[in-house]
Amino acid sequence: MEEENKKKDESTENRFSYHHEMIIIPENSFSSSIPFDISSCEQKSSLGFIDMLSVQDFSNPCSIFDDLLQSITAPLITAPVPEYSEVVNTPATPNNYSSSISSSSTEAAAANDDQKKNETVDEETVEEELDQEKTNKQLKPKKKNQKRKREPRFAFMTKSEIDNLDDGFRWRKYGQKAVKNSPFPRSYYRCTSTACGVKKRVERSSEDPSIVVTTYEGTHIHPCPIMPRGTFGFMPETSILDGSGGGSGGASTSHFVIRQMFNQYQYQHQQLTQPNILQQQQQPYFHNLLTPPLSLISTSTTNPTFPPLFRERRFCPSASSSLAPRDHGLLQDMLPSQMFKATPKEEEDK
DNA sequence: CGTCTTTGACCTGCGC
DNA sequence: GCGCAGGTCAAAGACG
């Protein structure tokens, strides 16, 4: 039976070897945010998960972050960046946030398994499953032989003195654990919204204590609780790259990028796993909120809406809608122009 | 009083 | 099967 499941997982994985996206963005003088998918980095070795930080592509050769990676981060990336989802074990080195990755994680398999299920059930069933999953978690004793479902993850590194970055959502801390090979504990947060099972892990890099690694797991199924409609409200003019935002502005800028990345991640993930739900959600949640922040980030040029997942409180004046992104969004001003070129995939689609 | 954090215990998965 | 490490639970306390 387990064998069967394994096989099923593997086959599903082959079909859907997606959402293993990692990206490395170099530090700038103030802060940086380094999004990546760490799904497969953990529980693979004695290395801490920070040690395992790496770059990994979607199976899609035109990874949404490819250009971003190359045009922004290439100079600081010393480890080879795999083009496809292949297992690459590159020893992690200090001051080098690249290391090993694997696309055949059990988590991915589990997530893909979920997706496979979702393909065969309607939306109501999906909701029921969500409830059931929650119930099962609370029940004791837990069923054995039932692998814990785990959503694909999306993580980024942020240079910040604040552990818990403000991403606009409300989180409840439900645990803290000491991490092997790291002097810093890892904190576990859960989205406080009912029925939203999104989790977040926050830990500091053992290599560089100033770097906070935030890992999101799952997809919000509700709008951002403190997101004013029709505004994205922050850092309209400061370049993310030149570090000229100054003081907290720099950090906020990085948070903005985190949000943009996470927006994209969630959008992609939902598109792949719950297209029906996404279509439904887009209407109430994403309407008139923002346009795609960056064309190259989007692997889908057909749908221009993104969930309003991130927001920076301190840069959210009430009347900031006039600063809302246009065309490519704020990143158009922040990122090099070559990054806005269409990906080969997109051009193919044309 | 409601919400959140802390923290020890327990559960789970994985490697040996 | 055992041990380890990561992840989660839930009671207790803090805080506004």
Side-chain angles (χ1 to χ4, degrees):
Chain A
M1 188 61 180
E2 270 189 27
E3 289 270 334
E4 248 181 67
N5 287 335
K6 275 186 182 176
K7 283 180 184 174
K8 201 185 290 180
D9 287 350
E10 282 172 10
S11 62
T12 323
E13 189 175 318
N14 289 334
R15 287 176 55 200
F16 303 108
S17 55
Y18 60 94
H19 55 54
H20 287 284
E21 184 80 18
M22 302 190 186
I23 190 167
I24 298 174
I25 297 177
E27 295 177 26
N28 57 33
S29 53
F30 288 91
S31 66
S32 65
S33 301
I34 305 169
F36 57 93
D37 189 321
I38 51 77
S39 303
S40 55
C41 293
E42 296 167 277
Q43 298 178 358
K44 290 271 186 222
S45 74
S46 59
L47 288 176
F49 119 76
I50 290 178
D51 298 324
M52 304 287 288
L53 294 178
S54 58
V55 175
Q56 181 173 356
D57 270 340
F58 287 116
S59 57
N60 178 355
C62 314
S63 162
I64 56 172
F65 295 123
D66 281 355
D67 289 346
L68 182 65
L69 196 64
Q70 287 168 10
S71 57
I72 294 186
T73 71
L76 288 188
I77 296 173
T78 57
V81 177
E83 227 179 304
Y84 298 95
S85 298
E86 291 178 353
V87 178
V88 176
N89 283 316
T90 308
T93 56
N95 301 323
N96 174 7
Y97 302 122
S98 305
S99 69
S100 62
I101 59 166
S102 165
S103 64
S104 26
S105 72
T106 56
E107 291 170 7
N112 289 335
D113 207 31
D114 286 350
Q115 182 188 354
K116 202 174 182 181
K117 277 186 200 165
N118 288 343
E119 288 178 343
T120 61
V121 297
D122 59 20
E123 293 145 28
E124 277 184 22
T125 316
V126 171
E127 266 188 35
E128 283 171 12
E129 276 188 0
L130 269 176
D131 291 342
Q132 197 172 5
E133 187 178 335
K134 282 197 157 237
T135 311
N136 286 344
K137 274 182 186 172
Q138 290 166 355
L139 287 179
K140 270 188 176 181
K142 293 171 185 172
K143 284 183 185 175
K144 291 185 178 178
N145 296 331
Q146 191 173 21
K147 281 191 177 179
R148 189 180 300 171
K149 292 180 182 177
R150 187 157 291 171
E151 297 283 336
R153 297 176 182 171
F154 179 83
F156 31 79
M157 301 167 71
T158 304
K159 190 157 191 174
S160 169
E161 291 182 6
I162 304 168
D163 284 347
N164 195 358
L165 301 177
D166 174 15
D167 54 15
F169 290 91
R170 296 181 65 195
W171 301 94
R172 173 189 296 271
K173 189 175 185 177
Y174 67 89
Q176 179 171 309
K177 265 295 234 193
V179 183
K180 197 186 175 190
N181 293 332
S182 173
F184 306 102
R186 175 182 299 161
S187 298
Y188 299 89
Y189 298 87
R190 183 174 293 148
C191 182
T192 57
S193 284
T194 51
C196 179
V198 177
K199 294 169 195 166
K200 179 169 94 169
R201 292 188 329 200
V202 178
E203 66 182 296
R204 285 198 174 272
S205 166
S206 57
E207 302 289 350
D208 185 350
S210 65
I211 290 179
V212 177
V213 179
T214 306
T215 306
Y216 289 89
E217 180 178 333
T219 307
H220 290 285
I221 59 172
H222 56 91
C224 178
I226 57 175
M227 179 76 179
R229 295 181 73 86
T231 175
F232 212 61
F234 49 82
M235 297 307 292
E237 294 169 357
T238 310
S239 165
I240 169 186
L241 297 175
D242 62 11
S244 61
S248 59
S252 299
T253 309
S254 74
H255 296 179
F256 164 71
V257 178
I258 290 171
R259 290 164 188 175
Q260 297 286 359
M261 295 296 184
F262 191 44
N263 283 354
Q264 174 59 29
Y265 156 73
Q266 286 216 323
Y267 180 80
Q268 270 201 330
H269 177 222
Q270 275 197 317
Q271 254 196 340
L272 288 163
T273 58
Q274 303 168 357
N276 294 334
I277 288 181
L278 180 66
Q279 279 182 2
Q280 280 194 338
Q281 287 183 345
Q282 279 173 347
Q283 294 310 314
Y285 294 167
F286 311 149
H287 173 67
N288 198 26
L289 280 160
L290 76 163
T291 53
L294 187 61
S295 62
L296 74 87
I297 282 180
S298 173
T299 56
S300 164
T301 56
T302 57
N303 201 324
T305 53
F306 281 77
L309 290 172
F310 291 127
R311 176 183 153 271
E312 181 66 45
R313 282 193 184 108
R314 69 190 114 159
F315 286 98
C316 196
S318 56
S320 57
S321 54
S322 61
L323 302 173
R326 187 181 52 187
D327 295 329
H328 293 301
L330 293 175
L331 288 182
Q332 189 174 25
D333 296 330
M334 297 175 175
L335 301 176
S337 58
Q338 64 264 31
M339 293 181 54
F340 293 91
K341 72 175 192 273
T343 65
K345 174 87 188 303
E346 285 172 328
E347 295 192 336
E348 267 180 29
D349 291 340
K350 289 173 188 171

